[in-house]
mmCIF file of all heavy atoms in Angstrom:
data_model
loop_
_atom_site.group_PDB
_atom_site.id
_atom_site.type_symbol
_atom_site.label_atom_id
_atom_site.label_comp_id
_atom_site.label_asym_id
_atom_site.label_seq_id
_atom_site.Cartn_x
_atom_site.Cartn_y
_atom_site.Cartn_z
ATOM 1 N N ALA A 530 -53.097 -41.923 30.443
ATOM 2 C CA ALA A 530 -51.733 -41.910 29.903
ATOM 3 C C ALA A 530 -50.758 -41.301 30.916
ATOM 4 O O ALA A 530 -49.639 -41.800 31.097
ATOM 5 C CB ALA A 530 -51.689 -41.142 28.583
ATOM 6 N N ARG A 531 -51.175 -40.262 31.596
ATOM 7 C CA ARG A 531 -50.321 -39.662 32.637
ATOM 8 C C ARG A 531 -50.103 -40.639 33.793
ATOM 9 O O ARG A 531 -49.002 -40.730 34.343
ATOM 10 C CB ARG A 531 -50.936 -38.361 33.138
ATOM 11 C CG ARG A 531 -50.858 -37.238 32.137
ATOM 12 C CD ARG A 531 -51.434 -35.933 32.688
ATOM 13 N NE ARG A 531 -51.472 -34.921 31.653
ATOM 14 C CZ ARG A 531 -52.584 -34.452 31.089
ATOM 15 N NH1 ARG A 531 -53.781 -34.896 31.495
ATOM 16 N NH2 ARG A 531 -52.529 -33.544 30.147
ATOM 17 N N ASP A 532 -51.159 -41.354 34.178
ATOM 18 C CA ASP A 532 -51.027 -42.346 35.244
ATOM 19 C C ASP A 532 -50.054 -43.463 34.844
ATOM 20 O O ASP A 532 -49.241 -43.918 35.664
ATOM 21 C CB ASP A 532 -52.386 -42.949 35.601
ATOM 22 C CG ASP A 532 -53.314 -41.982 36.323
ATOM 23 O OD1 ASP A 532 -52.838 -40.925 36.809
ATOM 24 O OD2 ASP A 532 -54.527 -42.287 36.396
ATOM 25 N N ILE A 533 -50.127 -43.909 33.595
ATOM 26 C CA ILE A 533 -49.208 -44.934 33.099
ATOM 27 C C ILE A 533 -47.777 -44.408 33.148
ATOM 28 O O ILE A 533 -46.857 -45.098 33.608
ATOM 29 C CB ILE A 533 -49.582 -45.377 31.669
ATOM 30 C CG1 ILE A 533 -50.898 -46.155 31.678
ATOM 31 C CG2 ILE A 533 -48.463 -46.206 31.043
ATOM 32 C CD1 ILE A 533 -51.486 -46.397 30.294
ATOM 33 N N PHE A 534 -47.573 -43.179 32.703
ATOM 34 C CA PHE A 534 -46.241 -42.566 32.702
ATOM 35 C C PHE A 534 -45.693 -42.475 34.124
ATOM 36 O O PHE A 534 -44.547 -42.852 34.396
ATOM 37 C CB PHE A 534 -46.317 -41.169 32.069
ATOM 38 C CG PHE A 534 -45.010 -40.445 32.052
ATOM 39 C CD1 PHE A 534 -44.100 -40.662 31.032
ATOM 40 C CD2 PHE A 534 -44.685 -39.549 33.056
ATOM 41 C CE1 PHE A 534 -42.879 -39.996 31.016
ATOM 42 C CE2 PHE A 534 -43.472 -38.883 33.051
ATOM 43 C CZ PHE A 534 -42.564 -39.104 32.032
ATOM 44 N N THR A 535 -46.514 -42.008 35.062
ATOM 45 C CA THR A 535 -46.088 -41.863 36.453
ATOM 46 C C THR A 535 -45.761 -43.222 37.068
ATOM 47 O O THR A 535 -44.749 -43.378 37.758
ATOM 48 C CB THR A 535 -47.187 -41.149 37.276
ATOM 49 O OG1 THR A 535 -47.413 -39.860 36.695
ATOM 50 C CG2 THR A 535 -46.798 -40.994 38.726
ATOM 51 N N ALA A 536 -46.609 -44.211 36.808
ATOM 52 C CA ALA A 536 -46.369 -45.555 37.347
ATOM 53 C C ALA A 536 -45.097 -46.163 36.749
ATOM 54 O O ALA A 536 -44.317 -46.801 37.463
ATOM 55 C CB ALA A 536 -47.577 -46.455 37.083
ATOM 56 N N ALA A 537 -44.866 -45.955 35.461
ATOM 57 C CA ALA A 537 -43.662 -46.491 34.818
ATOM 58 C C ALA A 537 -42.409 -45.814 35.373
ATOM 59 O O ALA A 537 -41.384 -46.476 35.594
ATOM 60 C CB ALA A 537 -43.745 -46.308 33.301
ATOM 61 N N ALA A 538 -42.477 -44.515 35.637
ATOM 62 C CA ALA A 538 -41.334 -43.809 36.228
ATOM 63 C C ALA A 538 -41.045 -44.335 37.629
ATOM 64 O O ALA A 538 -39.878 -44.522 38.010
ATOM 65 C CB ALA A 538 -41.598 -42.307 36.259
ATOM 66 N N ARG A 539 -42.078 -44.591 38.399
ATOM 67 C CA ARG A 539 -41.907 -45.145 39.748
ATOM 68 C C ARG A 539 -41.311 -46.542 39.675
ATOM 69 O O ARG A 539 -40.419 -46.902 40.442
ATOM 70 C CB ARG A 539 -43.263 -45.170 40.467
ATOM 71 C CG ARG A 539 -43.305 -45.904 41.777
ATOM 72 C CD ARG A 539 -42.537 -45.160 42.875
ATOM 73 N NE ARG A 539 -42.407 -45.935 44.079
ATOM 74 C CZ ARG A 539 -43.265 -45.925 45.090
ATOM 75 N NH1 ARG A 539 -44.341 -45.179 45.041
ATOM 76 N NH2 ARG A 539 -43.037 -46.657 46.154
ATOM 77 N N TYR A 540 -41.811 -47.374 38.761
ATOM 78 C CA TYR A 540 -41.285 -48.729 38.578
ATOM 79 C C TYR A 540 -39.800 -48.677 38.227
ATOM 80 O O TYR A 540 -38.989 -49.427 38.792
ATOM 81 C CB TYR A 540 -42.094 -49.449 37.502
ATOM 82 C CG TYR A 540 -41.644 -50.854 37.200
ATOM 83 C CD1 TYR A 540 -41.817 -51.879 38.125
ATOM 84 C CD2 TYR A 540 -41.035 -51.164 35.992
ATOM 85 C CE1 TYR A 540 -41.405 -53.175 37.852
ATOM 86 C CE2 TYR A 540 -40.620 -52.454 35.713
ATOM 87 C CZ TYR A 540 -40.804 -53.451 36.639
ATOM 88 O OH TYR A 540 -40.387 -54.730 36.371
#
Side-chain angles (χ1 to χ4, degrees):
R531 289 182 186 110
D532 289 345
I533 291 169
F534 179 84
T535 300
R539 171 70 188 270
Y540 179 69

